[in-house]
Amino acid sequence: MSLNGTWTYEPQAWVTIKSEREWAESTEHLPPTGEMVIPGHWQGTPLQSFDGRVRFRRAFEFPGFSESERTALLVFKGVDYVTRATLNGHAVGEHAGYFQTFAFDVTGAIVAGTNELIVDVTCPKEEAGTVWPDEKVIIKGILNHWDGRPGSWDPNRGQEQNSGGIWNDVLLETRGAASIDHVAYSTTLVPVPDEDRPDHAGDSRQAFVQFDLDILGEAGTYDLRLALGEEPPVSVSFTMHGGRERLNVVVPVPAPRLWWTWDLGEPHLEHCAITLSRDGAPLDERSLDVGLREIDFDPERGEWWLNGERVFIRGTNVIPTLWLGNYDDAAIDRDIRLLRDTHINGVRICVHVNREEFYAACDRAGILVWQDFALQWGYAPTPAVMQDAVRQIKDMVRLLGHHPSIGLWCCQNESTFHNKHILDPVLAAAVAAVDGTRYIRPTCEYSEHTYVGWYSGHLRDYSALPATPVLTEFGAQALPSEEKMRQIAGNAWPPDWDTLAYHDFQYDQTFNVAGVPLGSSWQGFVQASQAYQAALLKFAIERYRQAKYEKLGGLFQFMFMDCWPSVTWSVVDDERQPKQGYFALQQVFQPTLIGLNLHRAKLGIGVDRGSHSRRFAVTPWVVNDRHRPLRDCRYVATLSGNGVTETRTSDCAFDVPADGVLPAAPTTLMALPDDAMPGPAVLTITLTEQDQVISENRYELDLVAFPDS
């Protein structure tokens, strides 16, 4: 029974965490009481940026237990951050964490008829300078500490606009004598023995799916039926002694349809229906989509393996929103389309746990997931924080482990010394105790993140391929549209830099490292900022992709979208309007990419007619992420500008290896026409396979006059 709807609320106290053990409260100047639609965050309501405890209240009718019902559970799909629930005056449970689904047994408190439910939710502020930002105790990752959220790193404002509230569904569930508490599974692919193959040929594998089920209930004998796809159902009878029982069920799949990333095959999902019964009467049912796949990660080479085949990850970082209650199915579908349209086959869900519907969408779309836990930078080096982190990281794995898209667990991002050497190994062991089927990375290292051309150096420094073999962050900031900038900072010119800093704009890096010109208006500033980001992404990714499997096995650009109206490293803003960087990603993330190493965006032309200097060589490279070779390929190079167009087709055909790199295709000489004049031009290069266009790339450059001598 859903308990969603309109609840009353009453702020109880401002709450500040002064240390792990001291949570100080104040009741001065509290916001007024009111009504709120649940699920929802209190951000965007009269409780805007309220850091503290709010009492939510509602009444509901319960018809009473039927003859077969034994227990009643109050289920929360997500509350941020501390929850204390009271039903009809009885305290029924407490929970801490923002992303988990959790339940309280209310069997002894609920009554037939009208019931009064009170839920106290505390979303506190951590005291700046002592707890926040380096000794944090709240486990929320980027939701409460990040340079891309409201206030950025500002010690006084960096925790504003918090994510508190009952942000997901509230349910009342009744259960019978026993129920299915948890389902996990893993897949093993095994070659079919030669003697079992009719033709003794071909790559033939069978799958064995191991299901682990936790059953809760009273003593007795029960039956479990598990139906996976079109395979014959498997039935198991078992005896419970009261409490919890662990069942293991193995389902053979002789001819499995495997889950692949979208660019390698079909992200196939098998429907699985599980029924628990007693004496022929069903007690509980569960259903889930199962992806049959094996996945592995080699940290020494940064390489991913899916179903025994190596796959190059063209990835990005995603932080879709700071307020998960607002992230509905339509918004998720929109983001998946944007990702797929950019040829992305992998995402790093960066330092937070998203809502489960997003992972299900990645399952269906065939997008691999690097999953971070919600730990960012420094936390208090205490046993209590470690204990809480262990509990919550296990919750994350149990909650999400059935999603085939998740390929890796990572315990913390950019750890401080204590966290890296003490906390993170403990967390990795905790994850392994729950899920030993995926690679577990204790921390996402600073050394795996590079921002040359933004925090230091020049974008050309990407030629040295920094941060390999595991590259999980790189990029540069870019302003969103002129309209969005006016919404953020107003019409004043020059803009108010403090306002922009609150919205995450980085002044020194923009002007003194990247050298973006301010210009005389928003229009010019936006254009220059976006052009710089696009140029950096194009240059960097083209060079990384040419080093495929030599220096790295994948990459994750930082980052894809804004999570609020801000100026960040994203390529689409919070309303998903694309920047120039989005189209740069779309170009350089093509599964098959042809390109040129143009180290200078200039092409010299002689000033005398007929000069031999008007001839230049075109020698493309090709990166092929498809798992088939390309045969009988050619390319067409077109130089256009100032009303002049020159086109040449490669003289001979060539092949491109499957899942490999062709460092140099046959060279073609081009000659500039006599009437070519200095000025901007575009060099477009198009790859065809048997006259079918496979890839197209373009380079903006300048034709520059110089004396023949």
Side-chain angles (χ1 to χ4, degrees):
M1 183 174 91
S2 172
L3 298 181
N4 295 345
T6 301
W7 295 45
T8 61
Y9 70 83
E10 179 184 359
Q12 299 285 296
W14 300 91
V15 180
T16 301
I17 301 177
K18 293 183 171 292
S19 72
E20 175 192 308
R21 298 179 179 177
E22 183 185 359
W23 291 37
E25 297 190 0
S26 170
T27 57
E28 293 184 4
H29 308 297
L30 290 173
T33 61
E35 293 185 340
M36 189 181 302
V37 175
I38 300 298
H41 297 272
W42 61 58
Q43 180 65 27
T45 75
L47 295 182
Q48 183 97 348
S49 289
F50 180 74
D51 303 305
R53 187 172 67 254
V54 179
R55 173 161 292 177
F56 293 90
R57 188 191 305 264
R58 70 154 294 166
F60 66 90
E61 298 296 317
F62 178 62
F65 290 107
S66 68
E67 185 176 342
S68 62
E69 292 171 336
R70 301 286 195 275
T71 60
L73 297 178
L74 181 62
V75 180
F76 295 90
K77 303 288 283 187
V79 182
D80 188 348
Y81 181 75
V82 175
T83 307
R84 292 186 178 94
T86 302
L87 183 62
N88 298 325
H90 300 276
V92 293
E94 180 176 333
H95 179 269
Y98 84 87
F99 62 84
Q100 299 96 321
T101 292
F102 58 94
F104 301 142
D105 189 331
V106 295
T107 306
I110 200 166
V111 298
T114 301
N115 291 261
E116 183 183 50
L117 174 62
I118 296 174
V119 180
D120 289 342
V121 179
T122 305
C123 187
K125 180 179 182 179
E126 295 179 306
E127 186 174 64
T130 55
V131 179
W132 191 92
D134 297 324
E135 301 282 329
K136 299 188 295 294
V137 299
I138 295 294
I139 296 175
K140 290 174 61 171
I142 51 87
L143 297 188
N144 82 322
H145 187 196
W146 181 39
D147 44 0
R149 71 175 316 282
S152 187
W153 292 323
D154 186 271
N156 297 314
R157 305 195 66 186
Q159 298 180 74
E160 290 185 358
Q161 301 189 43
N162 70 45
S163 50
I166 305 174
W167 64 265
N168 210 337
D169 297 329
V170 184
L171 307 168
L172 180 70
E173 289 187 5
T174 55
R175 297 184 180 180
S179 60
I180 303 168
D181 184 58
H182 180 66
V183 180
Y185 71 91
S186 61
T187 304
T188 303
L189 300 178
V190 179
V192 176
D194 286 345
E195 59 270 20
D196 292 341
R197 299 187 202 168
D199 55 1
H200 296 274
D203 176 21
S204 181
R205 288 180 288 183
Q206 55 189 332
F208 292 90
V209 188
Q210 302 178 51
F211 288 90
D212 295 318
L213 304 101
D214 287 346
I215 311 296
L216 297 178
E218 61 189 37
T221 300
Y222 299 89
D223 298 301
L224 186 87
R225 183 179 186 272
L226 195 153
L228 177 64
E230 299 177 358
E231 303 304 318
V234 175
S235 296
V236 177
S237 294
F238 63 99
T239 300
M240 291 192 65
H241 302 287
R244 180 182 296 271
E245 189 76 20
R246 169 65 61 86
L247 289 184
N248 304 109
V249 180
V250 178
V251 179
V253 184
R257 293 177 290 180
L258 301 180
W259 185 92
W260 294 95
T261 54
W262 64 265
D263 52 335
L264 297 185
E266 180 71 22
H268 187 79
L269 298 171
E270 297 282 5
H271 182 71
C272 181
I274 305 171
T275 304
L276 177 67
S277 59
R278 184 180 187 182
D279 299 327
L283 297 173
D284 198 5
E285 295 180 348
R286 293 294 175 92
S287 65
L288 67 156
D289 289 329
V290 171
L292 306 182
R293 62 101 177 101
E294 285 185 335
I295 196 163
D296 199 7
F297 178 72
D298 179 355
E300 300 301 319
R301 297 182 60 85
E303 292 178 359
W304 297 83
W305 295 79
L306 180 60
N307 302 327
E309 296 190 23
R310 191 164 54 175
V311 53
F312 190 86
I313 298 301
R314 304 178 303 277
T316 188
N317 285 257
V318 294
I319 304 171
T321 180
L322 298 173
W323 304 284
L324 293 173
N326 304 332
Y327 198 39
D328 59 18
D329 289 342
I332 291 171
D333 289 345
R334 173 199 60 192
D335 284 350
I336 293 294
R337 287 195 302 271
L338 286 167
L339 291 165
R340 282 286 302 269
D341 288 347
T342 322
H343 312 297
I344 286 167
N345 64 356
V347 295
R348 177 185 175 217
I349 298 184
C350 185
V351 204
H352 76 290
V353 180
N354 209 288
R355 60 184 306 146
E356 193 169 358
E357 291 87 345
F358 183 77
Y359 300 92
C362 289
D363 293 342
R364 295 190 299 269
I367 295 175
L368 181 140
V369 171
W370 169 307
Q371 178 58 48
D372 283 347
F373 184 50
L375 290 179
Q376 169 99 315
W377 300 322
Y379 291 81
T382 65
V385 169
M386 178 180 287
Q387 181 70 33
D388 197 25
V390 166
R391 171 184 65 85
Q392 293 205 43
I393 203 168
K394 286 185 172 183
D395 288 346
M396 176 187 75
V397 177
R398 279 191 289 261
L399 177 69
L400 302 176
H402 64 282
H403 290 286
S405 57
I406 296 179
L408 176 151
W409 306 111
C410 185
C411 301
Q412 185 167 0
N413 183 55
E414 298 183 342
S415 308
T416 57
F417 183 86
H418 172 273
N419 292 169
K420 176 179 177 178
H421 295 285
I422 299 177
L423 174 62
D424 295 347
V426 172
L427 294 178
V431 174
V434 181
D435 178 14
T437 69
R438 294 175 173 93
Y439 180 79
I440 303 163
R441 198 158 187 82
T443 184
C444 199
E445 303 273 9
Y446 282 101
S447 61
E448 299 164 11
H449 305 157
T450 181
Y451 289 92
V452 294
W454 187 251
Y455 288 115
S456 64
H458 191 278
L459 67 85
R460 286 194 300 268
D461 295 337
Y462 280 105
S463 293
L465 305 176
T468 54
V470 181
L471 175 62
T472 48
E473 290 186 21
F474 67 97
Q477 284 196 350
L479 276 62
S481 67
E482 178 182 355
E483 179 184 7
K484 177 64 66 172
M485 290 310 303
R486 293 183 186 277
Q487 173 189 330
I488 290 172
N491 296 320
W493 192 262
D496 180 82
W497 301 116
D498 289 338
T499 298
L500 281 183
Y502 181 81
H503 288 264
D504 309 320
F505 173 76
Q506 296 183 345
Y507 183 100
D508 181 60
Q509 289 76 14
T510 299
F511 298 119
N512 299 327
V513 180
V516 174
L518 175 61
S520 59
S521 67
W522 277 123
Q523 182 179 15
F525 191 22
V526 166
Q527 168 64 25
S529 171
Q530 292 193 12
Y532 179 79
Q533 182 196 57
L536 182 145
L537 293 177
K538 181 175 174 61
F539 185 89
I541 293 172
E542 287 190 348
R543 274 134 193 87
Y544 281 123
R545 290 195 65 186
Q546 291 176 77
K548 167 181 175 173
Y549 301 149
E550 291 187 7
K551 295 292 186 179
L552 74 171
L555 52 85
F556 294 86
Q557 168 264 344
F558 195 85
M559 58 187 193
F560 194 73
M561 72 278 281
D562 284 332
C563 57
W564 76 295
S566 52
V567 180
T568 75
W569 303 261
S570 73
V571 295
V572 297
D573 70 15
D574 65 302
E575 296 182 79
R576 303 316 189 248
Q577 295 302 307
K579 306 175 185 178
Q580 293 181 42
Y582 174 85
F583 301 107
L585 277 192
Q586 197 172 55
Q587 188 175 78
V588 296
F589 271 171
Q590 296 173 82
T592 297
L593 177 65
I594 188 170
L596 297 164
N597 285 333
L598 294 177
H599 295 286
R600 298 180 181 87
K602 296 180 180 180
L603 185 64
I605 60 173
V607 296
D608 296 330
R609 292 179 179 272
S611 168
H612 68 277
S613 63
R614 289 177 173 273
R615 301 180 67 191
F616 62 96
V618 174
T619 307
W621 46 261
V622 182
V623 179
N624 182 24
D625 290 348
R626 304 169 195 260
H627 282 208
R628 67 170 182 83
L630 304 178
R631 306 292 190 190
D632 192 23
C633 295
R634 294 179 184 270
Y635 64 86
V636 178
T638 302
L639 181 69
S640 58
N642 291 335
V644 174
T645 301
E646 177 72 8
T647 299
R648 285 297 304 269
T649 301
S650 55
D651 295 326
C652 57
F654 55 93
D655 297 336
V656 182
D659 194 27
V661 178
L662 180 67
T667 297
T668 295
L669 291 177
M670 297 188 71
L672 291 171
D674 288 344
D675 55 353
M677 298 294 292
V682 174
L683 180 59
T684 302
I685 186 161
T686 303
L687 176 70
T688 62
E689 181 192 30
Q690 300 174 10
D691 298 326
Q692 182 75 32
V693 174
I694 299 297
S695 175
E696 184 174 281
N697 206 343
R698 54 182 282 142
Y699 298 87
E700 296 182 2
L701 45 82
D702 288 321
L703 302 181
V704 179
F706 64 92
D708 287 342
S709 60

